[in-house]
Amino acid sequence: MALRLHNTLTGTLEPLEPLEPDHVRIYSCGPTVYDRAHIGNFRTFLWEDLLRRYLKLRGYRVTQVMNLTDVDDRTINAAIEQGRTLEEITRPVERQFFEDWEALGLEPMEHYPRATEHVDAMIELVRRLEDRELTYDRDGSVYFAIGRYPEYGRLVGLDERDLASAGRAEGDEEYSKEDPRDFVLWKGGEREEGDVALWESPWGPGRPGWHLECSAMSMEYLGESFDIHTGGVDNIFPHHTNEMAQSEGATGRSFARYWLHAEHLLVDGGKMSKSLGNYYTVPDLVERGHRPSAIRYLLLSAHYRTQLNFTLEGLAKADRALERLEEFHRRLRAARAPEPSATRGVEPDRASIGELSRRAREAFFSAMDDDLSVSDAIASVFMMVREVNRELDRTGDRLTAGDGESALALLGEFDAVFGVLSLRAGERGDADPALVAWMDERIAARQAARDARDYARADAIRREIEERGIVIEDTPDGTRWKPVGEAVSAVDTTD
Ligand code: AMP
Ligand code: ZN
């Protein structure tokens, strides 16, 4: 079955058919870097990460672009208020953004263009719109003339009354426009002392409009037509509506083919936002003792087209669910092969575990294929956790290698998309993820040696581990380990 996604443009679920068969090109609207992003912003970014990871799991190559809006009213106002340059405001916020990005385990995208470094491409785009007579100048500013572009508003099917606000959202000067619905492409400005953001242009000094930034940068990195454009629902109008008009108006070609929008993260029933002051950032929550892996899990655990109400109790619950999953993962890895002679009557039920993992995997993929239905996908994994735990209880933690592997493989696929177990492994004891992976492998090898009664080999592996400065302890729940002091920070796994 093909992956189906909800396209805002048509209001329906559509099978994904990328322009190039094995390659998906995605543009995701990024942060305005005037202040640290909050976890509402990260809900949208995490879902964009989930989409990316799922496409990769399904075998696609992904090229994904996220812009950094480092010039707009908010960044300029912050610079003026604090008597700084634009860069002095935006660069530290960019660093915070990437710190949080990494803490929450988002994969790096292919490109993060800054608006201020693409002004030439934006000017070029306005010139193309001029050539097509879709613009007019007023007092050094250039506007998009909605009345000359009948296709305007296809994304939302707006009526005339709604269109009246298309330009106003950017604080455009009403009096200078031909039509109040028009929006600004290039904002003219006087060169005065204290100006923090002015570029030369054919229309005099000024700066690009916000919508123009995304049109120019998406086309520069992905081409004039590409596959998927994403953002939060607040982006549909006016931002994406204007972006689409400018891009298609300039090229005469279809811009993004699938428009995907995520619903908001709420607090007490209202949108989490900077202006309402009802927000948390990642460090806010970490300081309160919450783990980034729990934040990631919570924000990913509701379908992207439903609103999610954020509470600290919800976060604690997400942490517990993750704890169960992690414990299961540990137990599964520590499970031993059955001893045929000693386990008569409690032998692992091979057919049922194998069959169970197969069914859970099928349910996982079909849920994700259905517009990334995460709740059903997660439910299928927990169904397997329950059943396999029951089987492990019954057999005294014994599973055949094949059964253990099929359950582990599904967990691996789940985590390739959700990225929570690997993130948590990194958080656990501040251990290096490479070390955790190496230890997992060594502990499994030691267990296999013991199961085969090759005690010399098991001892050799224990010594090898201890030489790395790790102590291990065998418990009824499996083998535990921890680094002694600061002994190990990185591990060479090649030998
Ligand atoms: P901004 O920095 O305001 O341009 O927003 C960056 C991204 O975060 C956009 O895709 C917004 O739609 C999204 N966003 C803003 N607030 C929320 C929220 N409360 N919940 C989910 N996404 C949000
Ligand atoms: Zn954008």
Short mmCIF file of all heavy atoms in Angstrom, two decimals, residues 385-410:
data_model
loop_
_atom_site.label_atom_id
_atom_site.label_comp_id
_atom_site.label_asym_id
_atom_site.label_seq_id
_atom_site.Cartn_x
_atom_site.Cartn_y
_atom_site.Cartn_z
N VAL A 385 4.62 -5.69 22.91
CA VAL A 385 5.32 -5.65 24.20
C VAL A 385 4.56 -6.51 25.22
O VAL A 385 5.14 -7.32 25.93
CB VAL A 385 5.43 -4.19 24.71
CG1 VAL A 385 5.96 -4.14 26.13
CG2 VAL A 385 6.33 -3.36 23.77
N ARG A 386 3.26 -6.30 25.28
CA ARG A 386 2.43 -7.05 26.23
C ARG A 386 2.53 -8.55 26.02
O ARG A 386 2.78 -9.32 26.94
CB ARG A 386 0.97 -6.62 26.06
CG ARG A 386 0.37 -6.00 27.29
CD ARG A 386 -1.13 -5.67 27.15
NE ARG A 386 -1.68 -5.77 25.81
CZ ARG A 386 -1.82 -4.72 24.98
NH1 ARG A 386 -1.43 -3.52 25.34
NH2 ARG A 386 -2.36 -4.89 23.78
N GLU A 387 2.36 -8.93 24.75
CA GLU A 387 2.33 -10.37 24.45
C GLU A 387 3.69 -11.02 24.65
O GLU A 387 3.78 -12.12 25.18
CB GLU A 387 1.84 -10.59 23.01
CG GLU A 387 0.40 -10.13 22.77
CD GLU A 387 -0.61 -10.91 23.60
OE1 GLU A 387 -0.39 -12.13 23.78
OE2 GLU A 387 -1.60 -10.31 24.06
N VAL A 388 4.74 -10.36 24.22
CA VAL A 388 6.07 -10.96 24.35
C VAL A 388 6.48 -11.00 25.82
O VAL A 388 7.06 -11.98 26.29
CB VAL A 388 7.11 -10.24 23.47
CG1 VAL A 388 8.51 -10.82 23.70
CG2 VAL A 388 6.75 -10.37 21.99
N ASN A 389 6.12 -9.97 26.58
CA ASN A 389 6.39 -10.00 28.03
C ASN A 389 5.71 -11.20 28.67
O ASN A 389 6.29 -11.87 29.52
CB ASN A 389 5.87 -8.71 28.70
CG ASN A 389 6.98 -7.66 28.82
OD1 ASN A 389 8.15 -8.01 28.90
ND2 ASN A 389 6.59 -6.41 28.85
N ARG A 390 4.49 -11.44 28.24
CA ARG A 390 3.75 -12.58 28.79
C ARG A 390 4.50 -13.88 28.48
O ARG A 390 4.65 -14.76 29.33
CB ARG A 390 2.35 -12.61 28.17
CG ARG A 390 1.39 -13.54 28.85
CD ARG A 390 -0.01 -13.40 28.30
NE ARG A 390 -0.56 -12.05 28.50
CZ ARG A 390 -1.59 -11.56 27.80
NH1 ARG A 390 -2.15 -12.28 26.86
NH2 ARG A 390 -2.05 -10.36 28.06
N GLU A 391 5.00 -13.96 27.26
CA GLU A 391 5.74 -15.15 26.84
C GLU A 391 7.05 -15.28 27.64
O GLU A 391 7.41 -16.38 28.07
CB GLU A 391 6.04 -15.02 25.33
CG GLU A 391 6.71 -16.22 24.72
CD GLU A 391 5.81 -17.46 24.69
OE1 GLU A 391 4.62 -17.35 25.02
OE2 GLU A 391 6.33 -18.55 24.38
N LEU A 392 7.70 -14.14 27.89
CA LEU A 392 8.96 -14.18 28.65
C LEU A 392 8.68 -14.60 30.09
O LEU A 392 9.46 -15.34 30.69
CB LEU A 392 9.65 -12.81 28.60
CG LEU A 392 10.27 -12.43 27.24
CD1 LEU A 392 10.62 -10.94 27.21
CD2 LEU A 392 11.50 -13.27 26.94
N ASP A 393 7.56 -14.15 30.64
CA ASP A 393 7.17 -14.57 31.99
C ASP A 393 7.01 -16.09 32.03
O ASP A 393 7.44 -16.77 32.95
CB ASP A 393 5.83 -13.94 32.40
CG ASP A 393 5.96 -12.43 32.63
OD1 ASP A 393 7.11 -11.95 32.74
OD2 ASP A 393 4.92 -11.74 32.68
N ARG A 394 6.35 -16.59 30.97
CA ARG A 394 6.01 -18.01 30.93
C ARG A 394 7.26 -18.89 30.81
O ARG A 394 7.33 -19.96 31.38
CB ARG A 394 5.09 -18.24 29.72
CG ARG A 394 4.36 -19.56 29.68
CD ARG A 394 3.37 -19.57 28.51
NE ARG A 394 4.06 -19.73 27.23
CZ ARG A 394 4.37 -20.91 26.72
NH1 ARG A 394 4.10 -22.03 27.36
NH2 ARG A 394 4.98 -20.98 25.54
N THR A 395 8.25 -18.39 30.04
CA THR A 395 9.41 -19.24 29.75
C THR A 395 10.61 -18.92 30.63
O THR A 395 11.68 -19.50 30.44
CB THR A 395 9.86 -19.07 28.28
OG1 THR A 395 10.21 -17.69 28.10
CG2 THR A 395 8.77 -19.45 27.32
N GLY A 396 10.46 -18.01 31.60
CA GLY A 396 11.61 -17.62 32.41
C GLY A 396 12.65 -16.89 31.56
O GLY A 396 13.84 -17.20 31.58
N ASP A 397 12.17 -15.93 30.77
CA ASP A 397 13.05 -15.09 29.94
C ASP A 397 13.86 -15.88 28.91
O ASP A 397 15.04 -15.64 28.71
CB ASP A 397 13.99 -14.23 30.81
CG ASP A 397 13.27 -13.00 31.32
OD1 ASP A 397 12.02 -12.96 31.20
OD2 ASP A 397 13.92 -12.08 31.81
N ARG A 398 13.17 -16.82 28.30
CA ARG A 398 13.85 -17.54 27.23
C ARG A 398 13.07 -17.39 25.93
O ARG A 398 11.84 -17.51 25.91
CB ARG A 398 14.00 -19.01 27.60
CG ARG A 398 15.06 -19.19 28.67
CD ARG A 398 15.23 -20.62 29.07
NE ARG A 398 16.14 -20.67 30.20
CZ ARG A 398 17.46 -20.73 30.07
NH1 ARG A 398 18.01 -20.74 28.88
NH2 ARG A 398 18.22 -20.78 31.13
N LEU A 399 13.80 -17.10 24.88
CA LEU A 399 13.20 -16.97 23.55
C LEU A 399 14.17 -17.56 22.55
O LEU A 399 15.38 -17.46 22.75
CB LEU A 399 13.03 -15.49 23.16
CG LEU A 399 11.86 -14.67 23.66
CD1 LEU A 399 11.94 -13.28 23.03
CD2 LEU A 399 10.52 -15.32 23.30
N THR A 400 13.66 -18.13 21.47
CA THR A 400 14.61 -18.58 20.45
C THR A 400 15.21 -17.34 19.81
O THR A 400 14.62 -16.26 19.84
CB THR A 400 13.89 -19.37 19.33
OG1 THR A 400 13.00 -18.48 18.68
CG2 THR A 400 13.14 -20.55 19.89
N ALA A 401 16.40 -17.52 19.23
CA ALA A 401 17.09 -16.38 18.61
C ALA A 401 16.19 -15.73 17.57
O ALA A 401 16.06 -14.51 17.51
CB ALA A 401 18.39 -16.85 17.99
N GLY A 402 15.52 -16.54 16.78
CA GLY A 402 14.66 -16.00 15.71
C GLY A 402 13.54 -15.13 16.26
O GLY A 402 13.27 -14.04 15.74
N ASP A 403 12.90 -15.59 17.33
CA ASP A 403 11.79 -14.83 17.91
C ASP A 403 12.28 -13.52 18.51
O ASP A 403 11.67 -12.47 18.34
CB ASP A 403 11.08 -15.65 18.99
CG ASP A 403 10.28 -16.78 18.36
OD1 ASP A 403 10.08 -16.74 17.13
OD2 ASP A 403 9.87 -17.69 19.10
N GLY A 404 13.40 -13.62 19.25
CA GLY A 404 13.98 -12.42 19.84
C GLY A 404 14.31 -11.41 18.76
O GLY A 404 14.00 -10.22 18.88
N GLU A 405 14.90 -11.90 17.68
CA GLU A 405 15.29 -11.00 16.60
C GLU A 405 14.10 -10.33 15.94
O GLU A 405 14.15 -9.15 15.61
CB GLU A 405 16.09 -11.74 15.54
CG GLU A 405 17.58 -11.73 15.83
CD GLU A 405 18.31 -12.79 15.04
OE1 GLU A 405 17.85 -13.15 13.94
OE2 GLU A 405 19.34 -13.27 15.55
N SER A 406 13.00 -11.09 15.74
CA SER A 406 11.87 -10.46 15.04
C SER A 406 11.24 -9.38 15.92
O SER A 406 10.84 -8.33 15.42
CB SER A 406 10.85 -11.49 14.58
OG SER A 406 10.33 -12.18 15.70
N ALA A 407 11.20 -9.61 17.24
CA ALA A 407 10.66 -8.57 18.12
C ALA A 407 11.60 -7.36 18.17
O ALA A 407 11.17 -6.21 18.10
CB ALA A 407 10.45 -9.14 19.53
N LEU A 408 12.91 -7.66 18.24
CA LEU A 408 13.89 -6.56 18.25
C LEU A 408 13.86 -5.77 16.95
O LEU A 408 14.02 -4.54 16.95
CB LEU A 408 15.30 -7.12 18.47
CG LEU A 408 15.73 -7.34 19.92
CD1 LEU A 408 17.08 -8.05 19.96
CD2 LEU A 408 15.81 -6.03 20.69
N ALA A 409 13.64 -6.48 15.85
CA ALA A 409 13.62 -5.79 14.55
C ALA A 409 12.47 -4.78 14.50
O ALA A 409 12.64 -3.66 14.01
CB ALA A 409 13.50 -6.80 13.42
N LEU A 410 11.31 -5.18 15.03
CA LEU A 410 10.18 -4.24 15.01
C LEU A 410 10.48 -3.03 15.90
O LEU A 410 10.21 -1.89 15.54
CB LEU A 410 8.88 -4.92 15.44
CG LEU A 410 7.68 -3.98 15.57
CD1 LEU A 410 7.40 -3.25 14.25
CD2 LEU A 410 6.43 -4.71 16.01
#
